[in-house]
Amino acid sequence: MGVNALVQTLSINNSTLKCLVLHGNNITDEGAEYLSEMLKTNETLSELWLSNNEITDEGVKHISNVLSHHNKTLKCLSLSSNIFITDSCINYLIEMFQKNHTLKTYWMKECNLTQQGQIKLQQNA
C-alpha cells in the first residue's frame, strides 16, 4: 500500500525526482507492478534501486515489460538480493535489453540465478 501511494505521486510528470532507493522495504510483486505502472508515465526518474526486497520472477516480468515497451528514461536499475528471482525471468530481461537502449546499468547480484542463467543473461545483456 505504501508503494501504491508513492507511485501515485511519482506518476505525475511534475515530479523532479531522479533517483528512487527502495532497498529493503519488503516490496513484493504487487509493489513491482505499481512501480511498473508509474514508469509508464514518469519521465524524470533515471535510477531505481529495488535491492533486498521480495520481488519474484513475476515482478521482474512487470518491470522488464514496461522498460521494453514504454519507459525510455530509466538509466539504472538494481534488483540485487531479491532471492526469489530465478532463471524463469531471463527471457523477459533479454527482451528488455534488446528493446531498451536507455538502460545502461543493471544489477542482479545475489539473486537465485543458476550459473547457466547468469551466463545466458551476460551473453545477451
Side-chain angles (χ1 to χ4, degrees), residues 1-18:
M1 293 180 77
V3 173
N4 189 20
L6 177 64
V7 300
Q8 295 303 317
T9 302
L10 296 177
S11 293
I12 301 168
N13 273 330
N14 64 0
S15 171
T16 59
L17 186 68
K18 299 220 182 276

Side-chain angles (χ1 to χ4, degrees), residues 1 11 47 52 73 111 124:
M1 293 180 77
S11 293
E47 295 184 33
N52 197 28
T73 58
C111 292
N124 290 282

Side-chain angles (χ1 to χ4, degrees), residues 11-118:
S11 293
I12 301 168
N13 273 330
N14 64 0
S15 171
T16 59
L17 186 68
K18 299 220 182 276
C19 178
L20 180 60
V21 179
L22 296 172
H23 173 82
N25 283 286
N26 297 320
I27 295 171
T28 63
D29 293 337
E30 185 176 4
E33 187 172 5
Y34 291 138
L35 288 163
S36 298
E37 288 299 315
M38 176 270 299
L39 288 171
K40 285 183 181 179
T41 59
N42 182 289
E43 296 177 354
T44 60
L45 196 64
S46 61
E47 295 184 33
L48 180 58
W49 296 79
L50 298 173
S51 53
N52 197 28
N53 282 292
E54 297 178 13
I55 297 170
T56 73
D57 298 323
E58 187 65 25
V60 174
K61 177 182 174 182
H62 291 298
I63 294 168
S64 297
N65 185 45
V66 76
L67 293 177
S68 294
H69 301 288
H70 301 285
N71 183 283
K72 301 301 179 204
T73 58
L74 200 69
K75 295 178 182 176
C76 173
L77 174 65
S78 175
L79 291 169
S80 292
S81 300
N82 280 284
I83 60 170
F84 302 115
I85 294 175
T86 70
D87 289 357
S88 296
C89 70
I90 289 176
N91 289 334
Y92 301 119
L93 294 168
I94 290 171
E95 179 183 6
M96 178 186 72
F97 292 134
Q98 291 171 344
K99 293 184 177 183
N100 183 309
H101 301 288
T102 309
L103 189 64
K104 301 296 180 198
T105 307
Y106 185 79
W107 284 282
M108 263 188 87
K109 296 179 193 175
E110 299 175 16
C111 292
N112 203 11
L113 300 176
T114 65
Q115 178 106 17
Q116 284 180 305
Q118 291 175 27

